[in-house]
Amino acid sequence: MPRPSDDPLTCVAALAFALVGLTPVAIADPPSPQPIIKTGPCPSGYSTRGGYCAPGSTARFALAKQGPCPSGYSTSGDYCLAGRQARAALPKVGNCPSGWSTSGAYCLQQR
């Protein structure tokens, strides 16, 4: 009786599933949009909700602009909007935490 590992189709299927399982590690999604404190007109994709800018269905992750936007982000008024390959970012206060690197006035999460 043949073993499953002897069947070439089974081996190809197993390799395909293994590669699909690696995809999330190799291509990380940008951070999800969250409500942000309103410091001027809301960035693209956000709407005013009291003192906050709330993300709509087309919103990208945004953070308050402090000088030039970090790598992977673009300017939208007083905010920086994440691009497709953007890593999580936060304003830099002192040294960046472990697992994060400096990008101007921000810390970016390492992949």
Side-chain angles (χ1 to χ4, degrees), residues 36 56 66 73 82-83 86-87:
I36 51 177
Q66 297 180 352
Y73 288 72
R87 296 179 280 164

Side-chain angles (χ1 to χ4, degrees), residues 7-20:
D7 178 17
L9 188 55
T10 302
C11 291
V12 170
L15 178 59
F17 283 117
L19 292 175
V20 169

Side-chain angles (χ1 to χ4, degrees), residues 6 17 28 53 66 92 111:
D6 292 336
F17 283 117
C53 293
Q66 297 180 352
K92 185 177 178 195
R111 293 187 185 197

Side-chain angles (χ1 to χ4, degrees), residues 3 11 22-23 26-27 29-30 32 38 40 42-43 45 48 59 76-77 83 88 90-91 97 100:
R3 297 178 300 175
C11 291
L22 293 177
T23 300
I27 303 171
D29 290 330
S32 298
K38 186 170 170 44
C42 292
T48 300
S76 180
L90 54 90
W100 296 67

Side-chain angles (χ1 to χ4, degrees), residues 59-89:
R60 295 179 281 157
F61 178 78
L63 68 157
K65 192 170 187 295
Q66 297 180 352
C69 291
S71 177
Y73 288 72
S74 60
T75 300
S76 180
D78 294 335
Y79 303 91
C80 295
L81 287 178
R84 290 179 180 243
Q85 299 298 318
R87 296 179 280 164

